[in-house]
Amino acid sequence: MQSMSELESRGTHLESFLRFPKDFLWGVSTAAHQVEGNNCNQWTDWEQAGRIKSGDACGRACDWWENPERDFDIARDIGLKALRLSLEWSRIEPEENRFDQKALQRYRQMLEGLRERGIEPIVCLHHFTHPRWFEKTGAFLRPEAPQLFERFAREVANGVGDLCRFWVTFNEPNVYAACGYVLGEFPPGRKGELFNALRVNSMQAQAHVLAYGAIHQLVPEAQVGWAQHYVVFEPAGGIVDRWVATRLDRLFNHVFFELIEDGRLSFPFNLWNGRVRDAKGCCDFVGLNVYSRFHVALDLRQPSTLFTRLYVPEHVPQGDPGVENPYGEAYPQAITRAVKRAARLGKPIYIMENGVPDAADRIRPWLIVNALRELHRLIECGHDIRGYLHWTLTDNFEWNEGWRLRFGLVELDPATQQRTLRSSARLFSEIIRDNGLAVATRNEEPLLSKAIP
Ligand code: BGC
């Protein structure tokens, strides 16, 4: 009888089957601006100002405003149990305090369309975009922003609440604040405004609390949470880099967690931002969006990135690079770190996004298998993880990168709207069918070469 390690050392990969809990929610996530086409929000202005690095136009995107059913059919055929979509605030409230019932009706059709196909809709209320009037009047720095968001949430819950059980108030408040107010990568394009970024996050936490209350009032059985982006910051070297990495980790990964966990920020950030009343424990689940690891080093020449240099070493698994920067190391173990952080809130956890930009689908299957391997191990250790949503179904408009980065299980030609299934779609479909996957006991190496030069 040979031992497992003997077999493995001779290159024989033993297989074991990782079974997921009954009713595990397998799905995908999407966002209105990235899939609907022809929106009129602050990102439309950003694009018109020439700020999309690839120079691409969002155009019809995946044409969902006209024909979401084409992709819903694909989602059903893959076997998806859940689909997260965002409801575009700028369509529903195009002018301040004027609500468009036709837009809400259109969203009702979409949610019904998903339900008819046996797919659980998960509604997100803010996925980076909002109406122009909101942006022009200060967005989340406007003192009444929480109440304005609550009014919008109430209108939506009134309009579609009977069709939806799962609600995400905010997608990635940390990315929104960091990219919009510190890095200048998203509208409003401000740089180095750390305190405004913290203020934006406190305002969003207040908005989250009010929306949570409004949704529960109208849809008592609703499950309401938010989706937190989590990045692993790996110190490049010694003590200074470790200090820098810890600062970044705290600012980027922990601020919003702290607001919901304790209802306030801890020192020194509490000097600028007071308590967020009633935020403590205000969520029914935590959503996690997990993609990458970055290496971090002190760099005194870079004040706009808080004196840090983020980089991805050669020879680590990674997808296609963006126009100016690498997207990040594809790092399935990030899921474990994120789950351990989220578990401190004591609520059920859903992986709400995980994926990789990979037009040739050379690394995505590896990522899916290894992310699920991490998840399964965490579940076995007793973590209450209830679902995995892949980012994303069909290639869509990737913010500043336009059409350059392709995250879809399904390839899209935006000009012809032609769809082609990638092998990852077939792999994911089999995993859902079997509610689990057979894995080699040894981790397979991914293909490391970069596809896009
Ligand atoms: C965002 C998505 C985005 C994805 C890939 C996430 O941070 O929520 O909108 O497309 O990452 O970059």
Side-chain angles (χ1 to χ4, degrees):
M1 178 90 169
Q2 288 159 309
S3 72
M4 195 183 283
S5 55
E6 272 168 351
L7 283 170
E8 285 193 339
S9 66
R10 286 202 263 123
T12 312
H13 290 191
L14 299 179
E15 286 205 338
S16 60
F17 190 81
L18 309 182
R19 191 176 306 286
F20 279 73
K22 192 171 159 288
D23 299 328
F24 193 74
L25 207 56
W26 299 102
V28 292
S29 280
T30 67
H33 187 75
Q34 295 178 269
V35 296
E36 285 179 355
N38 301 319
N39 267 304
C40 295
N41 54 39
Q42 92 277 29
W43 268 89
T44 316
D45 294 338
W46 186 253
E47 181 181 313
Q48 282 167 4
R51 300 297 298 268
I52 306 298
K53 292 176 188 169
S54 58
D56 293 332
C58 184
R60 287 159 73 197
C62 309
D63 205 24
W64 275 30
W65 195 249
E66 295 303 322
N67 185 8
E69 289 80 11
R70 179 171 30 196
D71 281 334
F72 292 177
D73 282 346
I74 296 176
R76 178 202 52 212
D77 295 346
I78 290 176
L80 300 180
K81 309 263 183 264
L83 188 146
R84 172 159 81 103
L85 71 173
S86 69
L87 269 47
E88 178 64 37
W89 188 356
S90 60
R91 288 193 191 270
I92 295 171
E93 193 180 355
E95 288 161 34
E96 189 165 344
N97 208 13
R98 182 176 72 75
F99 290 91
D100 183 344
Q101 295 307 324
K102 277 206 191 119
L104 273 168
Q105 195 49 39
R106 183 78 185 107
Y107 284 121
R108 279 194 73 80
Q109 286 171 351
M110 289 193 199
L111 301 184
E112 280 163 357
L114 288 169
R115 290 213 165 280
E116 279 158 15
R117 290 167 179 79
I119 300 171
E120 177 86 44
I122 300 176
V123 159
C124 174
L125 293 175
H126 189 270
H127 195 126
F128 300 158
T129 51
H130 46 238
R132 286 167 158 150
W133 60 261
F134 185 69
E135 181 74 4
K136 284 191 183 127
T137 51
F140 287 97
L141 290 173
R142 180 171 164 181
E144 325 76 79
Q147 288 72 24
L148 295 171
F149 187 74
E150 178 193 13
R151 187 172 62 189
F152 161 61
R154 196 174 286 282
E155 197 71 23
V156 174
N158 236 328
V160 305
D162 56 322
L163 294 171
C164 182
R165 205 155 55 94
F166 288 97
W167 298 74
V168 173
T169 53
F170 284 97
N171 178 69
E172 304 184 342
N174 53 345
V175 172
Y176 172 80
C179 289
Y181 293 85
V182 181
L183 302 170
E185 295 271 328
F186 282 12
R190 313 247 276 259
K191 286 192 177 172
E193 298 187 12
L194 179 59
F195 298 118
N196 271 337
L198 288 169
R199 174 130 194 85
V200 163
N201 273 178
S202 310
M203 296 292 269
Q204 288 180 308
Q206 286 175 41
H208 164 86
V209 172
L210 295 178
Y212 179 95
I215 297 165
H216 271 292
Q217 211 179 47
L218 293 159
V219 191
E221 69 285 3
Q223 295 288 300
V224 186
W226 90 102
Q228 173 77 21
H229 193 104
Y230 190 96
V231 168
V232 171
F233 296 107
E234 194 69 46
I239 190 160
V240 178
D241 293 341
R242 279 210 296 281
W243 185 82
V244 171
T246 311
R247 289 306 93 201
L248 269 192
D249 180 51
R250 164 99 195 274
L251 274 169
F252 186 78
N253 288 325
H254 296 274
V255 160
F256 210 80
F257 271 130
E258 277 179 15
L259 288 169
I260 304 296
E261 196 171 15
D262 306 323
R264 63 185 164 83
L265 291 172
S266 52
F267 184 80
F269 307 130
N270 56 354
L271 298 178
W272 292 275
N273 282 285
R275 286 175 175 275
V276 179
R277 269 210 304 140
D278 304 327
K280 191 169 177 166
C282 180
C283 64
D284 304 316
F285 64 84
V286 181
L288 291 173
N289 297 356
V290 193
Y291 291 82
S292 324
R293 170 164 78 165
F294 281 95
H295 288 245
V296 179
L298 177 74
D299 187 342
L300 295 173
R301 291 163 307 178
Q302 305 210 29
S304 68
T305 53
L306 309 175
F307 302 105
T308 51
R309 185 169 70 90
L310 296 180
Y311 67 97
V312 181
E314 289 282 317
H315 312 304
V316 296
Q318 57 180 309
D320 304 329
V323 176
E324 291 167 0
N325 299 308
Y327 187 78
E329 175 182 354
Y331 190 61
Q333 299 92 316
I335 285 189
T336 299
R337 302 257 203 118
V339 164
K340 289 192 170 161
R341 175 61 184 92
R344 282 161 44 189
L345 274 85
K347 308 278 178 164
I349 294 170
Y350 292 86
I351 303 302
M352 285 272 169
E353 290 184 25
N354 172 242
V356 62
D358 184 8
D361 212 32
R362 87 202 130 77
I363 200 182
R364 190 176 289 107
W366 169 86
L367 179 87
I368 293 175
V369 167
N370 285 288
L372 295 179
R373 198 195 281 260
E374 295 287 319
L375 266 190
H376 190 266
R377 194 177 302 137
L378 289 158
I379 293 170
E380 289 211 310
C381 290
H383 287 287
D384 186 6
I385 304 167
R386 304 213 179 153
Y388 171 89
L389 310 186
H390 192 76
W391 183 272
T392 183
L393 180 59
T394 307
D395 288 340
N396 59 37
F397 193 72
E398 177 56 26
W399 307 112
N400 270 345
E401 303 287 350
W403 294 106
R404 181 180 167 103
L405 294 185
R406 303 305 188 102
F407 284 83
L409 295 169
V410 179
E411 183 185 339
L412 172 78
D413 178 340
T416 61
Q417 290 291 316
Q418 172 93 26
R419 275 112 169 117
T420 315
L421 252 59
R422 294 195 167 100
S423 24
S424 291
R426 285 182 278 274
L427 169 71
F428 198 43
S429 182
E430 283 163 20
I431 293 172
I432 298 171
R433 184 198 61 205
D434 300 342
N435 197 34
L437 65 163
V439 292
T441 50
R442 182 134 48 103
N443 202 341
E444 311 276 348
E445 286 304 315
L447 284 168
L448 298 182
S449 61
K450 298 190 186 101
I452 300 180

